[in-house]
Amino acid sequence: MQDANGKVARLTVDDNEIELPMYEGSEGPMVIDVGKLTSLGYFTYDPGFVSTAACDSEITYIDGNAGVLLHRGYPIEQLAEQSDYLELAYLLLNGELPDATQKAGFVETIKRYTMVHDQLRFLFRGFRRDAHPMAIMCGVVGALSAFYHDSLNIDDAEHRRVTAHRLIAKMPTLAAMSYKYSRGEPFIYPRNDLHHAENFLHMMFATPCEEYRVSPVLARAMDRIFLLHADHEQNASTSTVRLAGSTGANPFACIAAGIAALWGPAHGGANEAVLNMLDLIGDEKNIDKYVKKAKDRNDPFRLMGFGHRVYKNYDPRAKVMQQTCHEVLEELGVEDNPELRMAQRLEKIALEDEFFVEKRLYPNVDFYSGIILKAIGIPVEMFTVIFAIGRTPGWIAHWNEMISGPYRLGRPRQLYHGPTRRDYVPLGERSPA
Ligand code: SDX
């Protein structure tokens, strides 16, 4: 950690002046180390961690005001244009772009881990066929720790490496299995002659009855979507993975915790919620009514896919996603897509409305992704599962970054408002409520 050249923050409390050390990173705001406040009898108070840096990291940097997203220093726009999902996964895990040999070796390694233990298929049978695939993913990913005892020593760098590869490789397989299970169709095994995203779409849509060829257009779009979701600093699900990891829990359990956190509509569940919102709005003539509802603080309706804790400018991923949306729909010959038309109209109205301008609410990564996923043929209930596949390299890179260095158990405190000390009242002496 780089100190700020001896710069300190001075805090005056009850006529006492406290000096707090400050540190600076390579990018972004400096931080004030408040660790010693506890010894002085104080806690900091920051519900939602709006102003709290919970860790040091070298993986991803976001400038929310400028709409900048860098993965190990590389801008997301350049990665989306020139890289691919597995190369970005390598970058997130290892810190540098691979050379041709390293890339080929990594791709081959991931391919060789795509199959899951065949016993896992019986775990699916415990779910109802109409179970939400995110419920299945929470269960089966956590269950991986029951199958891979040979790589659970979190203090062993080789175990951590193998586990990272297993998770990146097996998430698409388990996701496709949860989809097939919901349709009552047989599971399709991964194939080593297919590229990662192509393999996933093959496992999703092929059947044993005939040869299935994945459209290169859709495979490229799928890879782009995985890439755009790969990591995003200390978001809620990544912070969940870190907190679970800080207890020493095995990595499969930590990633399962991340999947559970991602599911919420305020986070990764927003992509599914955007399509449900567009369906609810139903027609462009209703947009004004729903924008009005979104602006009414007494109305729980929000524009899903809009707003972000960090981005107070356009989410750079949303721009790439919108561009990909046009490319995919055009190449599929469905560019006159009613949902895309509705989304673009909704975006235009919102971005011109002073409520959204004043609150700096812009489209985020989830606003357009669902339209592409639907065009690819992915059902709405699988959208957040797709997000979880994409985010796995980010989750495991952050977990590994923490576990491979010094870390402490994460254990926040609170501002207590409950009853002060009182004595127990025996049942017979209690007055009726
Ligand atoms: C992701 O953190 C990450 O990095 C996440 C993510 C990643 O890659 O990991 O980027 C992925 O989760 C993207 C966000 C997906 N969620 C949504 O699209 C759901 C809709 N958006 C909101 O619920 C909201 O914008 C949040 C949850 C995303 C952010 O909320 P904050 O930072 O807690 O801000 P807030 O809820 O306090 O909103 C500030 C104001 C409020 O009004 P006031 O109380 O000040 O009057 O803006 C309003 C909110 O009511 N507001 C919205 C709104 N989002 C915020 N009003 C209408 N529609 C919205 N979408």
Side-chain angles (χ1 to χ4, degrees):
M1 178 155 25
Q2 193 176 339
D3 81 5
N5 303 320
K7 191 171 180 180
V8 296
R10 288 185 177 79
L11 181 64
T12 303
V13 183
D14 300 335
D15 299 331
N16 297 323
E17 181 171 280
I18 305 163
E19 278 198 0
L20 299 170
M22 294 182 73
Y23 310 122
E24 65 182 335
S26 52
E27 291 270 14
M30 292 173 69
V31 298
I32 299 171
D33 182 343
V34 293
K36 74 178 181 184
L37 283 183
T38 308
S39 62
L40 301 171
Y42 300 104
F43 293 152
T44 59
Y45 184 65
D46 184 19
F49 307 121
V50 178
S51 305
T52 295
C55 63
D56 293 85
S57 183
E58 300 176 357
I59 299 173
T60 288
Y61 172 68
I62 303 170
D63 180 335
N65 290 322
V68 166
L69 169 57
L70 307 178
H71 290 311
R72 300 286 190 177
Y74 296 100
I76 188 63
E77 296 86 349
Q78 293 181 20
L79 291 165
E81 188 59 38
Q82 302 175 57
S83 185
D84 60 57
Y85 172 63
L86 283 187
E87 183 176 77
L88 176 54
Y90 181 99
L91 174 66
L92 292 170
L93 289 171
N94 298 292
E96 296 296 338
L97 289 168
D99 62 26
T101 307
Q102 290 165 328
K103 180 169 182 177
F106 183 72
V107 169
E108 192 57 25
T109 299
I110 296 299
K111 264 183 190 171
R112 301 255 161 234
Y113 277 124
T114 47
M115 267 206 308
V116 295
H117 192 293
D118 218 41
Q119 200 69 11
L120 258 168
R121 60 176 51 244
F122 300 115
L123 193 61
F124 283 80
R125 290 185 187 165
F127 293 98
R128 285 173 40 152
R129 291 280 181 177
D130 63 353
H132 194 289
M134 282 297 279
I136 297 176
M137 292 299 283
C138 289
V140 293
V141 173
L144 289 176
S145 53
F147 288 84
Y148 299 108
H149 300 122
D150 63 340
S151 63
L152 292 181
N153 176 358
I154 63 171
D155 299 320
D156 181 321
E158 181 56 15
H159 281 210
R160 296 199 302 268
R161 197 180 66 85
V162 167
T163 297
H165 295 162
R166 277 181 166 145
L167 278 159
I168 293 168
K170 297 180 192 307
M171 281 290 280
T173 307
L174 294 171
M177 290 171 79
S178 60
Y179 172 66
K180 285 301 199 187
Y181 183 75
S182 71
R183 292 175 57 84
E185 291 180 9
F187 298 142
I188 298 296
Y189 284 110
R191 279 180 30 185
N192 292 346
D193 62 324
L194 301 180
H195 296 298
H196 199 66
E198 185 186 16
N199 209 353
F200 169 65
L201 292 178
H202 184 265
M203 290 187 281
M204 282 283 291
F205 300 121
T207 67
C209 318
E210 57 191 17
E211 196 58 33
Y212 179 84
R213 198 182 70 80
V214 175
S215 147
V217 169
L218 300 188
R220 203 167 54 246
M222 192 74 259
D223 189 274
R224 173 76 61 81
I225 286 183
F226 287 152
L227 180 145
L228 290 171
H229 287 87
D231 189 48
H232 211 239
E233 197 215 64
Q234 306 309 325
N235 58 84
S237 53
T238 300
S239 300
T240 301
V241 170
R242 280 182 175 261
L243 192 58
S246 76
T247 71
N250 76 70
F252 301 107
C254 296
I255 299 301
I259 294 172
L262 183 75
W263 196 356
H267 187 17
N271 52 19
E272 178 176 353
V274 167
L275 264 288
N276 294 337
M277 174 186 71
L278 294 177
D279 192 36
L280 178 71
I281 295 172
D283 187 289
E284 288 188 38
K285 67 179 187 300
N286 300 327
I287 288 178
D288 290 335
K289 179 179 99 178
Y290 280 92
V291 168
K292 190 162 179 282
K293 282 168 65 68
K295 291 157 58 175
D296 177 357
R297 288 195 65 162
N298 300 316
D299 190 321
F301 176 81
R302 283 195 165 182
L303 284 192
M304 300 317 280
F306 255 78
H308 198 279
R309 171 61 58 76
V310 177
Y311 288 122
K312 301 308 173 190
N313 197 325
Y314 219 101
D315 181 335
R317 300 166 298 174
K319 284 184 182 165
V320 179
M321 203 69 86
Q322 186 180 15
Q323 175 202 329
T324 305
C325 205
H326 282 296
E327 288 166 10
V328 171
L329 295 177
E330 191 177 340
E331 291 183 8
L332 291 175
V334 288
E335 58 269 36
D336 184 23
N337 176 295
E339 273 140 355
L340 176 60
R341 230 185 13 253
M342 173 110 73
Q344 288 174 313
R345 178 116 172 76
L346 186 56
E347 177 190 351
K348 185 175 183 308
I349 290 172
L351 294 184
E352 291 167 356
D353 185 299
E354 65 178 33
F355 173 89
F356 292 89
V357 171
E358 183 255 323
K359 291 185 185 295
R360 304 177 75 189
L361 301 175
Y362 292 85
N364 58 49
V365 67
D366 294 304
F367 190 63
Y368 285 105
S369 58
I371 298 168
I372 308 174
L373 291 172
K374 195 169 177 183
I376 291 175
I378 308 276
V380 173
E381 62 275 8
M382 283 290 291
F383 285 8
T384 309
V385 176
I386 301 297
F387 195 143
I389 296 173
R391 186 51 53 90
T392 298
W395 284 332
I396 202 71
H398 280 275
W399 174 81
N400 189 58
E401 179 179 65
M402 178 180 74
I403 297 293
S404 56
Y407 64 96
R408 298 188 68 189
L409 171 69
R411 203 282 187 211
R413 302 302 305 273
Q414 63 181 9
L415 175 61
Y416 178 68
H417 289 291
T420 53
R421 189 190 182 288
R422 53 183 172 167
D423 292 328
Y424 180 79
V425 180
L427 185 58
E429 296 170 25
R430 291 173 203 161
S431 50

